[in-house]
Amino acid sequence: MTAGDDTADGRGDDADAVDSEASTGDAAGVDGRTDIDTHQSSEFDDGRVDVEDDADAVPLGESQTLDPAVRFYWIVRSVIRAATLAVVALLFATVLNQTILPLPVRTVTVTVFALFATLGVARSVLRYGSWAYAIREESLFLRRGVFTQVQTVVPYVRVQHIDTRRGAVERLFGLSSLVVYTAGSRGADVTIPGLSPARASSLQTRLKHLAIESEEEDAV
Amino acid sequence: MSPGGGDAAPPGSGDPGRGADDTLSPDEDGGRPPAERRADTRTGPRRLHPLTVAYQLGSTGVRIGVVALFVGAPGLMAALESGRVEYVASVLLLVLVAVAAVVGYSGLSYRRFEYELTGDTFDIREGVLSRREREIPLRRIQNVDVSQRLPERVLGIAEVRLETAGGGSTEAALRFVGVEEADRLQADISRLRRGAVAGESEAADARAEADAGEHRERLFEISPKELAVLGVVSIDPRVLSILAIGASLFFDSVPKFVEPSVIGGPEQLITRLFGPVASLAVLVLLALGAGVLNATRFYGFRLERDADELRYERGLFQRFSGTIPLSKVQSLTVRENVLARALGYASLTIETAGYAPGSNGGDGSQSAVPLAERERALALARSIEDAGVESLARPPKRARIRYAIRYSLVVAILAGGLALAGRVGLPVPPWYVALLFAPLALLGAHLKWLNLGYALGEDHVVTQDGFWIRKTHVVPYHRVQTVVTRGTVFQRRRDLGTVVVDTAGSSGLFGGDARAIDVDAGTAASLRESIPTSLTAALATRRAEGRGSR
């Protein structure tokens, strides 16, 4: 026995423990699934997921939408963006007005603001409609995109770690995002925005368990 | 290979006045079993090559010296002429102090840099003021590269770089060690890594085997003909055409803008005639220069297979070598640019999670066969990942219509631009000249379509795209990270979609991802589901076979 093998053995034991736990959990998960099909009960808690609120548990394989509040968050964000652009337009138009081109400064500013705000609001609403995610048996599935529709499949085997994030404005709206990291080089992080904090942390725990369940030596 | 001086061994570990020794107290070895101890006695903490300090000081000294010559000398002369000797003296003193400080610091940092190859980790202790101690598990090391530039070869020293999957840059670089030490490190890391990865008994076997002798299998050696072709085709045809277009536009339009009213005239005729010729000559020279440079970089390229890893060597003036563990290979890419394709040649890149081609800046695709006859390149690819890259499914024909429209739009915009410019009064050809490019647009659409494709093999997914540089990606299912499908507004209008298969190896910078572009939307959706399923199956198989996924 070498020192290196000792640690390897230790790891193996851990993995075994997790496996047995996971397999019991699996059985519970199957039960939970059938239950959820008949009545949307809170029995989905399969014993592994320490959810703070049972209503926040995500049923397996069902398409989920984001928290409707995220629309308002996106709308506020796009209005702020439109306002910023309007200010830039105002400065630009003023400069132009005084030098080469006599522009109606106020009209330009209002038009820029109205245009971008409308576009932003429309996009926010459409984006909300386009977003869906699902916790499937072996992978996380995301669908999103208004103009370019994107679907992503993240096998749990490949999950490196999972973060929840709450930006300042997001917190005002009582929202949270979940970021899933893989070793992949492109789009190394997969983000689900617009989750209630409780659901975000429940998802985080659940995905963590699913990732451990399907764990490999090395996810690269 | 190495010109003299390569045998200057780094100082042994028996140097008394070292404070850093406390960190590697001997009792660390106490609990280790005999096999480990044997490995340790052979390694022990080591220093970099003593010439390192001189070389680094020398190279920075030359740089600073050049600056000083241009900036300092005139000032010094002026000061001397004005007779302020005490001023000059104090400046010189300051310079001396600064030089002494730099030399002292270099010496200290050399003394405070130590590395050690233990049985299962590679340890580095470094830093004068802030210390940094690292232990890199050998089984996590992806590539070990040794490089020697020209001055380093003259001095008989080399740089060793260790790559791991974490982080964006090289994990550890030893600048510099003796050539023999570099080769020893490369070989020992490979050998110990084999031991660290395999089980206990296997490890002993592997060690015995490795100790018994090196039996390397030569997989590939570049032929002089291939080297010559490499020189010819290595310049990017896109760069060439952009340069050509730019040059011809410049030489063509300058006289017109200068004298819009005059048509003809002797001096203009000369510019018109010689402009393109001169620019062509410059281009040919540039291309030749790049070609020769590339040929020297890849001179003597050799790829060998040693048990479970690949080893490459290349370089005429510089010398590069590296190891790629086969168990770390993420994907393969066969690259053929237009010229190479016409001549029947291709290059092969082996991607690991350590680095992807291009991520290391100047040296580019390091773990790649720069150029080989197409058949040889493909045979080599097959020997690493056995996947067929010949029969690929092309996208539906409606995708071609999409490209035809896209390229025709470019022509239409060109025509519109010409019409507008003509109306404003600029001396441009009439708008309908642009229509001459319309057939080109159609041809381009067909060529683009012709070079797209994908295939699902038994163990691999293969994708292909690119006309100017055709890239064929081979991704083993067990290396797939995520699968993404995308559909832009225009794609969805024609019921098409793109499938992106992400691995840990490909680089985003060069668009190195394997993607099946413009496949039928339904196909895209089924690929999105079937590839992760194949991944799960492949992992299960590998686990059952006990190979794991290292």
Side-chain angles (χ1 to χ4, degrees):
Chain A
M1 282 296 288
T2 63
D5 287 324
D6 273 338
T7 57
D9 278 351
R11 202 179 298 122
D13 289 343
D14 281 351
D16 285 348
V18 169
D19 270 351
S20 58
E21 189 199 335
S23 57
T24 54
D26 248 354
V30 170
D31 291 342
R33 219 177 305 148
T34 49
D35 278 352
I36 230 96
D37 282 343
T38 48
H39 48 100
Q40 289 277 345
S41 75
S42 57
E43 290 168 27
F44 187 69
D45 182 5
D46 54 11
R48 287 172 300 147
V49 182
D50 43 337
V51 262
E52 294 141 48
D53 180 4
D54 284 339
D56 289 309
V58 177
L60 200 73
E62 271 181 35
S63 175
Q64 301 291 313
T65 54
L66 303 183
D67 190 323
V70 78
R71 279 176 297 182
F72 304 111
Y73 164 56
W74 284 337
I75 286 171
V76 166
R77 220 173 48 174
S78 55
V79 167
I80 292 173
R81 235 174 252 168
T84 319
L85 280 172
V87 169
V88 172
L90 173 75
L91 294 174
F92 205 64
T94 315
V95 170
L96 280 184
N97 198 16
Q98 314 231 313
T99 51
I100 23 174
L101 205 64
L103 275 175
V105 174
R106 188 185 295 180
T107 323
V108 167
T109 312
V110 170
T111 314
V112 165
F113 179 76
L115 187 72
F116 283 99
T118 317
L119 282 178
V121 170
R123 188 156 170 262
S124 303
V125 174
L126 288 174
R127 181 135 67 120
Y128 172 74
S130 78
W131 248 105
Y133 65 91
I135 305 287
R136 306 195 300 191
E137 248 177 280
E138 288 181 337
S139 55
L140 174 68
F141 176 78
L142 310 181
R143 175 171 63 86
R144 70 221 178 266
V146 177
F147 297 109
T148 299
Q149 286 182 353
V150 181
Q151 294 91 6
T152 308
V153 175
V154 187
Y156 298 134
V157 205
R158 294 313 197 199
V159 172
Q160 296 274 346
H161 65 278
I162 307 144
D163 284 358
T164 53
R165 262 186 213 166
R166 303 190 70 192
V169 188
E170 265 179 309
R171 276 163 68 181
L172 282 182
F173 286 88
L175 291 171
S176 185
S177 313
L178 188 79
V179 189
V180 180
Y181 293 87
T182 68
S185 47
R186 137 194 254 278
D189 48 350
V190 174
T191 308
I192 309 179
L195 301 166
S196 69
R199 168 159 280 198
S201 67
S202 127
L203 262 178
Q204 187 182 21
T205 320
R206 192 165 156 68
L207 286 175
K208 186 182 79 192
H209 281 288
L210 284 166
I212 293 170
E213 208 175 290
S214 54
E215 192 193 26
E216 266 200 283
E217 272 270 290
D218 157 276
V220 173
Chain B
M1 280 292 279
S2 65
D7 42 8
S13 49
D15 188 350
R18 266 190 313 181
D21 257 354
D22 303 341
T23 52
L24 45 135
S25 51
D27 51 6
E28 203 181 321
D29 293 337
R32 288 229 174 103
E36 295 291 316
R37 206 174 289 144
R38 189 190 64 174
D40 280 352
T41 50
R42 267 191 298 173
T43 52
R46 289 182 184 232
R47 293 255 179 83
L48 298 175
H49 195 279
L51 276 175
T52 300
V53 185
Y55 177 54
Q56 279 175 343
L57 281 177
S59 54
T60 45
V62 166
R63 254 176 281 153
I64 294 170
V66 168
V67 175
L69 207 69
F70 280 96
V71 181
L76 200 68
M77 293 307 283
L80 276 176
E81 271 169 31
S82 67
R84 292 160 69 181
V85 180
E86 72 287 350
Y87 175 69
V88 175
S90 61
V91 165
L92 281 180
L93 195 70
L94 213 67
V95 168
L96 270 179
V97 168
V99 167
V102 168
V103 170
Y105 188 85
S106 299
L108 264 182
S109 65
Y110 166 76
R111 285 187 66 85
R112 298 286 275 164
F113 189 104
E114 267 183 347
Y115 64 91
E116 181 179 7
L117 184 61
T118 71
D120 41 30
T121 60
F122 189 82
D123 304 347
I124 296 179
R125 289 172 282 272
E126 61 181 314
V128 177
L129 295 176
S130 59
R131 294 282 290 166
R132 185 178 180 197
E133 301 188 0
R134 276 184 290 175
E135 282 190 15
I136 306 166
L138 291 184
R139 57 209 296 273
R140 294 288 190 234
I141 292 177
Q142 305 261 346
N143 308 59
V144 183
D145 290 323
V146 176
S147 64
Q148 278 185 291
R149 273 156 245 284
L150 196 53
E152 294 152 31
R153 276 194 78 170
V154 172
L155 293 175
I157 55 179
E159 179 183 349
V160 179
R161 284 195 307 268
L162 306 180
E163 310 279 350
T164 63
S169 55
T170 299
E171 182 62 41
L174 300 181
R175 269 182 259 193
F176 296 85
V177 295
V179 176
E180 286 184 355
E181 171 70 356
D183 291 341
R184 182 195 72 90
L185 278 176
Q186 203 179 39
D188 277 4
I189 289 174
S190 299
R191 191 172 47 77
L192 290 169
R193 178 172 53 199
R194 224 171 291 149
V197 169
E200 195 185 350
S201 57
E202 287 172 61
D205 287 350
R207 263 177 216 147
E209 196 183 304
D211 289 344
E214 313 234 338
H215 34 81
R216 286 178 182 162
E217 180 195 349
R218 173 84 38 99
L219 286 182
F220 178 82
E221 184 160 17
I222 198 164
S223 68
K225 192 177 154 208
E226 283 166 339
L227 201 64
V229 176
L230 170 72
V232 175
V233 306
S234 58
I235 191 157
D236 191 330
R238 281 177 302 187
V239 175
L240 207 64
S241 57
I242 290 168
L243 277 175
I245 290 169
S248 68
L249 277 182
F250 181 74
F251 284 108
D252 231 30
S253 54
V254 162
K256 281 190 198 164
F257 277 115
V258 175
E259 298 170 284
S261 56
V262 183
I263 298 173
E267 66 282 337
Q268 205 170 331
L269 205 70
I270 289 169
T271 349
R272 280 212 180 158
L273 263 176
F274 284 95
V277 172
S279 58
L280 206 68
V282 169
L283 281 178
V284 167
L285 275 178
L286 268 178
L288 271 180
V292 169
L293 214 66
N294 251 319
T296 62
R297 285 208 326 204
F298 289 104
Y299 174 85
F301 181 89
R302 267 205 319 249
L303 193 70
E304 288 169 339
R305 186 175 186 152
D306 181 11
D308 55 358
E309 68 177 17
L310 296 174
R311 189 168 186 288
Y312 70 83
E313 250 182 64
R314 63 179 173 84
L316 178 62
F317 301 119
Q318 312 151 314
R319 180 176 158 260
F320 299 94
S321 71
T323 56
I324 312 151
L326 282 174
S327 58
K328 304 274 189 200
V329 172
Q330 294 279 337
S331 63
L332 301 179
T333 306
V334 178
R335 244 169 255 264
E336 306 151 275
N337 68 20
V338 177
L339 224 53
R341 211 154 63 223
L343 298 171
Y345 288 83
S347 77
L348 175 71
T349 315
I350 302 159
E351 277 123 16
T352 65
Y355 56 65
S359 68
N360 268 31
D363 287 322
S365 14
Q366 306 204 7
S367 49
V369 173
L371 195 84
E373 282 161 30
R374 189 159 195 274
E375 271 321 301
R376 283 178 82 193
L378 292 184
L380 188 58
R382 270 197 300 275
S383 78
I384 300 167
E385 292 291 347
D386 191 12
V389 298
E390 299 296 351
S391 56
L392 303 180
R394 302 283 162 220
K397 292 215 164 112
R398 55 183 188 276
R400 194 164 50 176
I401 300 173
R402 203 161 90 79
Y403 310 136
I405 292 175
R406 189 195 292 171
Y407 298 152
S408 302
L409 270 178
V410 175
V411 174
I413 289 169
L414 187 65
L418 284 181
L420 208 69
R423 184 159 291 198
V424 175
L426 288 175
V428 290
W431 64 270
Y432 47 79
V433 170
L435 295 188
L436 292 176
F437 291 105
L440 272 183
L442 296 182
L443 181 68
H446 178 67
L447 288 175
K448 172 153 175 73
W449 177 80
L450 207 60
N451 287 297
L452 287 175
Y454 77 93
L456 290 187
E458 208 171 300
D459 302 312
H460 305 84
V461 49
V462 179
T463 68
Q464 186 172 78
D465 76 297
F467 164 72
W468 293 109
I469 300 178
R470 187 167 79 185
K471 286 152 291 202
T472 310
H473 297 278
V474 177
V475 180
Y477 287 132
H478 69 270
R479 292 304 191 195
V480 172
Q481 289 282 335
T482 57
V483 183
V484 179
T485 52
R486 321 167 62 92
T488 63
V489 178
F490 305 109
Q491 280 180 313
R492 277 182 285 140
R493 226 170 66 82
R494 294 183 192 277
D495 207 19
L496 297 169
T498 294
V499 184
V500 184
V501 182
D502 189 22
T503 66
S506 52
S507 73
L509 262 176
F510 278 66
D513 291 308
R515 38 174 116 198
I517 296 173
D518 282 339
V519 296
D520 178 73
T523 314
S526 76
L527 285 178
R528 185 181 68 227
E529 299 310 322
S530 72
I531 293 172
T533 310
S534 304
L535 157 70
T536 315
L539 288 179
T541 317
R542 288 173 71 80
R543 220 171 286 148
E545 285 172 12
R547 278 192 286 172
S549 164
R550 292 156 196 166

